[in-house]
Amino acid sequence: MQIPGLVDPKPVPRKPAPARADGKRALLGLSRADLRDALISVGIPEKQAKMRTAQVWNWIYQRGATEVAAFANISKDTRALLDQHFVVGRPEVVSAQVSTDGTRKWLLRFDDGEEAECVFIPDAWRGTLCVSSQVGCTLNCRFCFTGTMKLVRNLTPAEIVGQVMLARDALGEWPNGTANLPALPDTDDNDEDRAYIPGAHNPGSNYTPEGRMLTNIVMMGMGEPLYNFENVRDALAIVMDGDGLGLSKRRITLSTSGVVPMMARAGTEIGVNLAVSLHATTKEIRDEIVPINKKYGIEELLSACAAYPGANNARRITFEYVMLKDKNDRDEDAHELVRLIRKYRLPAKVNLIPFNPWPGSAYETSTPERVDAFSDIIFQAGISAPIRRPRGRDIMAACGQLKSASEKVSRADLDRRAAEKEALWVD
Ligand code: SAH
Ligand code: SF4
């Protein structure tokens, strides 16, 4: 039975984020209204609450303050009161790695000890932060390392915004707060989908290849963002808020494996660019590699894309397509992809992702010639189909290589785990 309407199907019960050991509450990630209520609840007088909310918000998101003690324009007594009850709430950095290509990966630990990864991908004309929405993932796309994780918990808005804050810390982007964005046309040019052009330089940008600027965000880290809808929405509201982190919705892309019932809400309540992990054009193959397809099939998914609020020729939907050798990379697959995009009249582009291997993965990457031929077919049909250059493979930071818990699992264990997860989807 299909889950109807606007309901988050939450297929697996998840652990809520527990309270901090010191009993304090994180200010990070609270909406303005919740922040105001929180301040009043600890004794800030109601008539001051609006001003205090604006001050705290400014210290955290515009100036990058990491502790309550740094809120310098708030009186000492009030600061002491706030300090008694709150922390700003940055995630702890367990490790920070830098790839030979400049990609950076952070392993972050949250208050309950759970961990997630976050990746910064500097490019000639932009810097993209790949943000996680969950610890692990309840889905188990067969080519994705994150999908092999047993444990799953939703990240809170504080933990999602915290990744962006942390990246800004590491990139030295405070105290200006809002990134000085390069003068790029705000079209659908939103994720790290362009083939790399060495030396390419955007004259309007003050970005340097060393990577000083976070200009774009992709919700493409660990987890399925539409299975954590409210938290992702609330976190992105802060990221997009002009007095918050001030990133335009056109510079943010949310990727879903195809949680059809949540797509319309994502369009209206979040409004960022949409990427869809299609990866196959037939039921047989998509059922195998993206098993959520058994619940929400290709036709249903593409209909939801056609209805996605805000998609048009200037803001196209990105179809992600992982190139798996002898699995989904034949000419016929490319032709079928074109046919489907046309059938549903989708304002679309296709992002071809060479498969990034991980320990124990059962697939191989298509040959570069095959990927080129596949891309050409789609291009010839008038649909953009750039090949995504793998980034950060040497530090396991590329698409689908993120996994925070290290454990050795056999192929048989992985298959068993996949079957267990799927069994939990039965409505
Ligand atoms: N859960 C969301 C977003 C995270 S994954 C989703 O599935 O869309 C981001 C992208 O990387 C997805 O398109 C995903 O299918 C792809 N991906 C996963 N594992 C991969 C791998 N090993 N190699 C290449 N791409 C991969
Ligand atoms: Fe989850 Fe996305 Fe990985 Fe699939 S590809 S297992 S939905 S993170």
Side-chain angles (χ1 to χ4, degrees), residues 10 102 129 155 157 308:
K10 287 195 183 87
L129 189 72
L155 294 182
Y308 185 71

Side-chain angles (χ1 to χ4, degrees), residues 8-165:
D8 179 349
K10 287 195 183 87
V12 174
R14 296 165 192 153
K15 251 171 71 183
R20 289 171 54 92
D22 60 9
K24 293 188 185 182
R25 190 169 169 198
L27 294 170
L28 202 65
L30 295 181
S31 67
R32 269 176 228 273
D34 288 345
L35 177 56
R36 183 177 177 277
D37 291 348
L39 296 180
I40 293 171
S41 76
V42 302
I44 299 286
E46 275 204 35
K47 45 184 203 319
Q48 283 183 20
K50 194 174 169 197
M51 174 193 66
R52 296 288 179 222
T53 300
Q55 286 174 322
V56 169
W57 192 270
N58 183 273
W59 277 109
I60 295 179
Y61 300 113
Q62 301 274 307
R63 307 197 196 199
T66 54
E67 355 171 277
V68 173
F71 299 171
N73 62 350
I74 297 181
S75 76
K76 226 173 158 191
D77 290 350
T78 306
R79 243 185 292 157
L81 174 70
L82 296 182
D83 202 21
Q84 230 180 309
H85 298 280
F86 301 111
V87 290
V88 172
R90 283 283 196 286
E92 177 196 339
V93 181
V94 181
S95 68
Q97 288 172 278
V98 185
S99 156
T100 49
D101 69 16
T103 300
R104 297 166 182 230
K105 181 172 88 167
W106 296 280
L107 174 62
L108 305 178
R109 184 175 295 147
F110 305 110
D111 293 335
D112 62 350
E114 296 303 350
E115 295 175 344
E117 294 186 314
C118 161
V119 176
F120 179 70
I121 307 139
D123 226 320
W125 42 69
R126 68 185 137 197
T128 304
L129 189 72
C130 180
V131 171
S132 292
S133 56
Q134 298 182 308
V135 173
C137 186
T138 48
L139 302 171
N140 53 285
C141 304
R142 303 313 289 274
F143 47 80
C144 174
F145 205 18
T146 308
T148 69
M149 284 178 67
K150 207 168 178 183
L151 183 104
V152 178
R153 128 155 130 65
N154 281 338
L155 294 182
T156 62
E159 292 163 342
I160 296 168
V161 177
Q163 297 172 57
V164 186
M165 305 290 284

Side-chain angles (χ1 to χ4, degrees), residues 141-145 148 355-364 396 401 403 407-415:
C141 304
R142 303 313 289 274
F143 47 80
C144 174
F145 205 18
T148 69
F355 168 65
N356 295 307
W358 38 270
S361 57
Y363 299 106
E364 277 180 65
M396 288 288 286
Q401 291 185 316
K403 180 172 176 176
E407 50 171 352
K408 272 218 163 89
V409 222
S410 67
R411 188 76 244 157
D413 282 341
L414 289 177
D415 289 343

Side-chain angles (χ1 to χ4, degrees), residues 314-327:
R315 284 187 80 197
R316 287 173 291 165
I317 294 173
T318 302
F319 288 102
E320 293 157 289
Y321 199 98
V322 63
M323 296 297 294
L324 304 171
K325 189 173 180 191
D326 299 333
K327 183 52 75 180

Side-chain angles (χ1 to χ4, degrees), residues 133-134 136-149 219-225 227 255-259 277 279 289-292 399-402 421:
S133 56
Q134 298 182 308
C137 186
T138 48
L139 302 171
N140 53 285
C141 304
R142 303 313 289 274
F143 47 80
C144 174
F145 205 18
T146 308
T148 69
M149 284 178 67
M219 295 303 301
M220 294 188 187
M222 299 166 62
E224 168 48 59
Y227 272 159
S255 173
T256 179
S257 56
V259 183
S277 295
H279 303 317
I289 64 178
V290 187
I292 195 180
C399 295
Q401 291 185 316
L402 303 186
K421 284 188 180 180

Side-chain angles (χ1 to χ4, degrees), residues 198-333:
H201 178 68
N202 167 28
S205 164
N206 58 5
Y207 176 76
T208 64
E210 287 76 53
R212 303 308 296 172
M213 284 210 324
L214 194 171
T215 60
N216 291 50
I217 288 181
V218 291
M219 295 303 301
M220 294 188 187
M222 299 166 62
E224 168 48 59
L226 295 189
Y227 272 159
N228 186 15
F229 182 80
E230 277 86 8
N231 290 353
V232 168
R233 176 196 61 199
D234 296 351
L236 290 181
I238 294 173
V239 171
M240 292 188 278
D241 189 306
D243 295 323
L245 294 173
L247 243 86
S248 150
K249 64 179 182 179
R250 293 172 188 278
R251 290 184 176 273
I252 303 176
T253 300
L254 182 149
S255 173
T256 179
S257 56
V259 183
V260 169
M262 299 309 291
M263 285 170 56
R265 273 187 79 187
T268 46
E269 295 180 36
I270 308 178
V272 297
N273 304 306
L274 181 69
V276 172
S277 295
L278 192 61
H279 303 317
T281 56
T282 64
K283 175 167 169 53
E284 191 200 347
I285 304 293
R286 195 162 192 269
D287 275 358
E288 177 192 330
I289 64 178
V290 187
I292 195 180
N293 194 62
K294 294 178 197 164
K295 199 165 176 181
Y296 310 115
I298 294 176
E299 307 274 322
E300 215 180 322
L301 175 59
L302 296 180
S303 301
C305 290
Y308 185 71
N312 54 46
N313 279 331
R315 284 187 80 197
R316 287 173 291 165
I317 294 173
T318 302
F319 288 102
E320 293 157 289
Y321 199 98
V322 63
M323 296 297 294
L324 304 171
K325 189 173 180 191
D326 299 333
K327 183 52 75 180
N328 63 355
D329 63 353
R330 297 165 313 162
D331 284 354
E332 294 94 289
D333 296 309

